Amino acid sequence: MTHYDEIGVGYALGRRTDPRWLAPVLDALGPAASVLDVGSGTGSYEPPSRRVVAVEPSAEMIRQRRPDAAPVVRAVAEALPFAGGTFDAASAVLTVHHWRDWRRGLAELRRVARRQVVLAYDTALHNDFWLVREYVPEVASLERSRPSAPEIAAFLGASSVVELPVPWDFTDGVFPAHWRRPEAYLDPAVRRSCSALAQTSPAAVERGMARLRADLESGRWHEEHAELLDLPEWDAGFRLIVA
């Protein structure tokens, strides 16, 4: 059993494809006709109109895939069941930080595909998110244990690294998605869609949510974060890495 078999229940409801991120992912894949989507989850960023094979270790995530999603193989990134050079490109969207051995997994991407497209994030910038800094600082230790986008780019010898800012009305419920909509984090369903919160001590999260609720009711949050309220997008550290 993977940890997503435990925390992934209802994942597809909160993690919906946002076209503003899908477009740069498709651009990064270039002319690739065949794509291996590693750690594909429910298939949010699988490219249409290409031959796609998905790899996903979690039975719970596979269960939530749409009927028209790409065929999926249950396997892990560190041991892809394909011959070398099978695919034109391999993608890994917001998954590398969950791998047991991320370097081995990235080496597997290089082995099976000529082009690698990885969406990851800078863990230092994630830890500077107001929700971590002010309300659930326990998340920081988890993030520090995860591979950061600059490390991933260096390991792959990336040809490009593109910043993907988070729009204020982002539809994919990644951890910092609600940076301008703080009340969203009071919803347990929203928190379950964020692995950083789902994998943090429930007591620590509840303490943080109690403080956030109080600050929202008093107006303190809006006073202290007024500079965010007019921003159309914000850099939470997400980077699209191409090699």
Side-chain angles (χ1 to χ4, degrees):
M1 177 182 288
T2 74
H3 64 262
Y4 264 103
D5 286 320
E6 299 174 358
I7 70 173
V9 177
Y11 186 89
L13 298 176
R15 300 298 297 271
R16 300 186 302 277
T17 309
D18 193 298
R20 290 165 291 187
W21 273 17
L22 179 59
V25 170
L26 297 180
D27 287 344
L29 290 170
S34 60
V35 178
L36 182 67
D37 185 18
V38 180
S40 61
T42 59
S44 296
Y45 292 96
E46 289 172 6
S49 305
R50 309 194 195 206
R51 183 171 65 84
V52 179
V53 176
V55 168
E56 171 57 45
S58 166
E60 175 59 33
M61 300 296 274
I62 291 172
R63 186 187 64 78
Q64 296 178 58
R65 293 172 64 81
R66 301 184 315 275
D68 61 345
V72 60
V73 176
R74 193 173 181 189
V76 296
E78 296 90 338
L80 297 174
F82 305 100
T86 299
F87 299 91
D88 296 329
S91 63
V93 176
L94 298 179
T95 177
V96 176
H97 57 284
H98 293 304
W99 298 353
R100 292 184 184 276
D101 184 340
W102 64 271
R103 293 178 180 86
R104 183 175 175 184
L106 292 177
E108 280 286 270
L109 261 64
R110 285 195 300 207
R111 182 182 66 80
V112 302
R114 291 178 287 278
R115 186 180 187 88
Q116 300 86 45
V117 175
V118 176
L119 176 50
Y121 60 87
D122 186 319
T123 55
L125 288 179
H126 255 44
N127 277 345
D128 196 39
F129 178 30
W130 57 259
L131 188 63
V132 179
R133 204 173 56 238
E134 300 169 28
Y135 296 99
V136 195
E138 293 83 358
V139 168
S141 60
L142 172 65
E143 295 291 15
R144 285 193 293 268
S145 73
R146 292 171 159 181
S148 193
E151 292 178 283
I152 293 168
F155 183 87
L156 287 174
S159 57
S160 70
V161 178
V162 177
E163 177 184 312
L164 290 190
V166 182
W168 78 269
D169 57 350
F170 203 46
T171 59
D172 185 344
V174 293
F175 178 41
H178 309 286
W179 57 271
R180 212 181 93 175
R181 297 169 288 171
E183 62 284 347
Y185 292 107
L186 301 180
D187 183 346
V190 167
R191 298 198 298 271
R192 281 196 299 271
S193 296
C194 306
S195 68
L197 292 175
Q199 292 181 267
T200 297
S201 159
V205 175
E206 285 302 324
R207 283 195 300 270
M209 293 307 102
R211 288 194 296 269
L212 176 59
R213 184 178 292 106
D215 285 353
L216 289 172
E217 290 174 354
S218 70
R220 179 181 176 183
W221 187 93
H222 288 82
E223 290 176 9
E224 295 192 355
H225 298 284
E227 76 284 356
L228 296 178
L229 300 178
D230 293 324
L231 294 180
E233 59 186 24
W234 176 68
D235 179 18
F238 293 102
R239 302 292 182 263
L240 187 59
I241 301 161
V242 181

